[in-house]
Amino acid sequence: MKLQLGDVETTALIPLAVKASESKRKNPRITDNKAVEIVDALGIDISKYDKFMSHEGVVARTVMLDRQLQEIIRKNPETVIINVGAGFDDRFSRVDNGKIIWFDLDLPDVITARKKAFSEKNRVTMIAGNILDSKWCEPVRAAVSEKKTKPVFLAEGLFMYLTMEQIRTFLNILKENFPDGGTLIAEQNNKLMVKNEKFHDTVKSTNAHFVSGTDSGQEIADLVDGFRLVEEHSFNEEMKKHSIRGKLFAFLLPKMNDRWATFEW
């Protein structure tokens, strides 16, 4: 498999490398056989994308989001879920209950690569589009209308590559196209990391740059009237369970790690 990805899109290789590496461990905390398959097919050295802190962070956010999403699906078995900036994520396979409707949304070059790696599945649709252009909303609106449910949007490893104004545009698109409300679960970068991105153990190996961060998800909610911050959890909550380094990081730099923030409108 050959990939042609832009600078930001190349960061999709980080969680891919981590999930493949973790899946090969004796007692993996997450298992992603598709990641292993893709990495083997790429035939490239992914070691620069699989460093300790990024590894633990990706594992933590995967465990935490899978858990949160499974609870949402338990309450609403026919949930419509949109994976925004999907990259090579295979979360659908881990949380599918046989009823959910799933969309994987990303830029055209990523979706082109994704279609080489992922076969078509029932109830899963891949959409090539720019999240700042509402054209991608049409098939999602149709699914939401058919299921008579509120959509759930996931934004993993995305907002830190958008300006706050671009995030505002995205939130307005959600509000205008899904006026009956919905849920957004978005990873939050912090302002310290934006200033110190050269020290990030894996992103520094790409040409991508962090362009925004928050001290609290409330800063995101305040961008557009009607958005409400429901909860926010640091990856430290999960990372500190698994290693001494994770415990030390959580103790010494409690605000440095990324967070999951859940919003409703």
Side-chain angles (χ1 to χ4, degrees), residues 64-82:
M64 294 172 78
L65 181 54
D66 282 1
R67 185 189 302 137
Q68 183 175 359
L69 206 53
Q70 286 163 345
E71 179 61 17
I72 290 172
I73 293 169
R74 186 188 66 79
K75 294 178 180 177
N76 181 5
E78 295 191 352
T79 302
V80 176
I81 300 167
I82 304 88

Side-chain angles (χ1 to χ4, degrees), residues 5 26 113 222 253:
L5 301 175
K26 185 176 181 180
D222 289 343
L253 298 167

Side-chain angles (χ1 to χ4, degrees), residues 5 70 94 113 117 128 165 206 240 250:
L5 301 175
Q70 286 163 345
R94 294 195 301 277
E165 193 57 40
T206 74
K240 66 184 181 182

Side-chain angles (χ1 to χ4, degrees), residues 89-109:
D89 182 57
D90 193 29
R91 179 165 281 112
F92 172 81
S93 295
R94 294 195 301 277
V95 304
D96 181 34
N97 65 345
K99 296 180 180 180
I100 59 174
I101 302 298
W102 190 278
F103 293 88
D104 285 307
L105 169 64
D106 214 317
L107 293 168
D109 57 347

Side-chain angles (χ1 to χ4, degrees), residues 17 56 70 82 144 206 232 245:
E56 292 302 297
Q70 286 163 345
I82 304 88
V144 168
T206 74
E232 190 167 23
R245 288 174 70 180

